[in-house]
Amino acid sequence: MINFAKARYVISAPDASFAPKDAKKSILFIGRTNVGKSTLLNKLTGQKISYVSKKAGKTKYLNFFLIDDSFYLVDAPGYGSTSYATVSTAQFSSMMESFLPDNRLVGIVLLLDLRRDMGKDDLAFLKYLQDSGKPVVAVLTKVDLMNQSEKSKAKRRAGEAGLYDPILSDGSTASLNAIKKAIDGLL
């Protein structure tokens, strides 16, 4: 399994044409604004490689991080029409349309905060990701803020949306190892 011991920022790309030109595979980290993408990237690598702002929605581009000199984790801007989003829906759509077809992209890690119900835009975006033909791994974030009943409801909601067996991410070593194993499986 990949150990995530070596991680470094490489480039911020407004679309796939600016991505690194080597043949290394990529895994896309994506989710709504303020779902915890940057925090999870930092926990997985044990380093502060991704900037975590006090104000949500600061990520504007596809940020490429080289992991163990073997593949890229790509942190995408948050989607959704919230007051936090700094990237317009049109910009985000264009970014995804340019990057999802890339043959080096081998999988998607979709982060969801299911303390809230999935709205129409969440479900439409999930269908779009599933229709891309890329495997999607669902990671439920902020579960450390949920009680057992809320965790069960969140897992049920994920299943109803077509995301079976989501990983519950609570920051523990066990949950981080489960995410690393899932990423290893995508590669």
Side-chain angles (χ1 to χ4, degrees):
M1 182 165 69
I2 299 155
N3 63 18
F4 288 78
K6 187 176 179 186
R8 68 177 175 87
Y9 165 81
V10 176
I11 193 170
S12 293
D15 61 47
S17 67
F18 291 88
K21 303 299 182 215
D22 57 33
K24 291 179 175 60
K25 296 176 182 177
S26 299
I27 303 289
L28 180 64
F29 260 51
I30 198 158
R32 228 178 221 299
T33 300
N34 201 30
V35 76
K37 295 178 300 295
S38 297
T39 299
L40 184 56
L41 282 169
N42 290 343
K43 286 184 179 184
L44 285 171
T45 62
Q47 301 174 47
K48 290 188 177 186
I49 61 168
S50 185
Y51 179 68
V52 179
S53 174
K54 290 184 191 321
K55 184 178 177 190
K58 288 295 185 182
T59 303
K60 295 181 181 180
Y61 301 112
L62 297 168
N63 294 313
F64 286 76
F65 299 95
L66 183 60
I67 308 298
D68 295 338
D69 293 322
S70 63
F71 73 99
Y72 294 101
L73 282 180
V74 183
D75 183 16
Y79 72 87
S81 55
T82 68
S83 58
Y84 296 123
T86 56
V87 175
S88 73
T89 302
Q91 289 171 307
F92 182 81
S93 295
S94 175
M95 194 180 296
M96 291 301 106
E97 288 171 8
S98 77
F99 189 59
L100 286 177
D102 191 308
N103 290 332
R104 296 168 295 180
L105 178 62
V106 296
I108 300 164
V109 177
L110 175 63
L111 282 68
L112 298 162
D113 177 357
L114 288 186
R115 294 176 298 164
R116 295 162 190 84
D117 289 330
M118 293 180 75
K120 289 180 184 178
D121 58 339
D122 293 299
L123 295 171
F125 186 63
L126 174 59
K127 181 169 178 7
Y128 174 72
L129 291 177
Q130 291 170 328
D131 289 349
S132 76
K134 308 289 183 181
V136 177
V137 172
V139 175
L140 305 186
T141 62
K142 304 188 181 186
V143 297
D144 52 320
L145 304 175
M146 297 180 198
N147 62 36
Q148 283 306 106
S149 173
E150 292 168 327
K151 288 177 189 177
S152 294
K153 287 178 187 175
K155 284 182 83 168
R156 188 184 72 246
R157 280 190 220 122
E160 290 168 355
L163 296 167
Y164 304 102
D165 201 24
I167 299 169
L168 300 180
S169 176
D170 60 6
S172 69
T173 301
S175 70
L176 293 174
N177 285 339
I179 296 166
K180 288 178 183 180
K181 184 177 179 183
I183 290 170
D184 195 44
L186 293 172
L187 293 168

